[in-house]
Amino acid sequence: MSERDDFLAWVGSDLYAAELAIHNGDADPRRALWSREEPVSVLGAWRNAFGLREVDELFTHLAESFSACTSYAFELRACDVVGDLAWTAGFERTSVSVHGEPTSYTLRVTQVYRREDGWWRVAHRHGDKGP
C-alpha cells in the first residue's frame, strides 16, 4: 500500500468514525485525532476557533449541539500527501438533530493534516455551506 493509500484508509476509517461520533454528541474521538501542537485552527460553518483551548471549546459546543445523526457521508474530491503533511477537500453530507431539531446540510470542507509521532493528526479545518 502506498503512503497515499494508507492516509486515505485512515480518512475512511478513524477520521470518519470520529466525525460520525461528534454528530452523535461525542467529541472525544474527534479530540483524539486532532493535533495537540500549535498551531491548530477551525474556520467553521458555525464558529471559528484558533489555538488548542478554543478548538477544544468548539468541539464541546458542537457535541452538545448535535444528536441523533441518521446519515453522515464524506465525498472526497481531492487530496494529497507530501511527506508529513496532507490535505483533503470534499463535501460532508449530514442529517442530524441540532438542538433537538432534525436538519440536513452539505458543507464544503478542506482539512490539513500533519504526521505527529507517526500518526496523522488534523491541524486545520475549514467548512462552509458555500454559495
Side-chain angles (χ1 to χ4, degrees):
M1 215 182 231
S2 73
E3 188 171 82
R4 184 176 188 274
D5 290 337
D6 286 343
F7 172 73
L8 289 176
W10 176 82
V11 167
S13 60
D14 294 353
L15 186 61
Y16 176 85
E19 293 305 303
L20 186 59
I22 200 164
H23 286 97
N24 279 305
D26 182 3
D28 289 342
R30 185 188 257 196
R31 280 188 181 101
L33 296 184
W34 269 69
S35 178
R36 292 157 188 84
E37 298 178 15
E38 298 284 4
V40 294
S41 55
V42 175
L43 296 174
W46 293 355
R47 197 165 124 184
N48 301 323
F50 302 94
L52 293 168
R53 183 186 55 76
E54 286 185 16
V55 167
D56 187 64
E57 290 170 359
L58 173 60
F59 293 168
T60 298
H61 171 76
L62 291 174
E64 290 170 349
S65 302
F66 292 139
S67 64
C69 182
T70 58
S71 176
Y72 170 79
F74 178 62
E75 177 189 342
L76 180 68
R77 297 304 304 262
C79 78
D80 201 5
V81 176
V82 181
D84 287 338
L85 293 175
W87 61 272
T88 56
F91 299 98
E92 290 181 346
R93 292 174 175 50
T94 309
S95 295
V96 66
S97 289
V98 178
H99 302 293
E101 295 295 321
T103 188
S104 295
Y105 55 85
T106 298
L107 297 180
R108 300 182 302 182
V109 176
T110 301
Q111 294 196 150
V112 177
Y113 313 84
R114 58 182 171 237
R115 199 178 344 237
E116 297 173 359
D117 298 322
W119 301 96
W120 286 111
R121 299 288 182 233
V122 184
H124 173 74
R125 173 182 172 88
H126 174 254
D128 66 38
K129 290 189 177 184

